[in-house]
Amino acid sequence: KLRAPVLLVFLAALGAAYHAASTESQMVGTAQAFLNSLTDEQRKATLFPFHHRERTIWHYFPERGFKTEFGYDRPGIMYKEMNGTQRALADRCRTLAAL
């Protein structure tokens, strides 16, 4: 009697692990495609060293709100500065991160 419930729990856990691994690999591939789509100028404005202070200071403030809050211009590129392909890839990264 106990075998069926244990087997169901095992299969559910296995399915969840497969989904997580699949999502992670999709995120990596999409992020790499996004970075590859950037121009040299965009890439320079977008990528920072791991220990850079900007890594921990991010949010969705409008540009003026960021400067008011932190006292300097927000680094990076704006969504409106991206082409259609870059926007689609950025949106896909965001969607995968929410899974």
Side-chain angles (χ1 to χ4, degrees):
K1 291 184 178 183
L2 197 55
R3 288 182 190 171
V6 169
L7 181 61
L8 287 176
V9 169
F10 173 75
L11 291 174
L14 188 62
Y18 174 78
H19 176 72
S22 174
T23 301
E24 289 171 5
S25 65
Q26 289 178 46
M27 287 177 71
V28 168
T30 304
Q32 190 61 55
F34 172 75
L35 293 174
N36 290 340
S37 75
L38 298 175
T39 66
D40 289 340
E41 184 178 315
Q42 288 173 319
R43 193 175 294 108
K44 186 176 180 182
T46 303
L47 295 175
F48 301 98
F50 184 78
H51 293 293
H52 195 279
R53 72 181 182 151
E54 298 304 331
R55 184 177 64 87
T56 60
I57 303 175
W58 63 273
H59 45 72
Y60 299 102
F61 281 170
E63 190 172 349
R64 283 175 291 173
F66 185 94
K67 188 159 189 166
T68 301
E69 180 74 17
F70 294 103
Y72 61 95
D73 288 326
R74 181 172 63 184
I77 60 174
M78 297 173 127
Y79 192 76
K80 67 182 179 182
E81 297 172 335
M82 295 180 203
N83 65 35
T85 299
Q86 292 166 336
R87 288 180 187 161
L89 289 166
D91 291 341
R92 180 72 178 145
C93 286
R94 186 181 62 215
T95 300
L96 289 168
L99 294 179

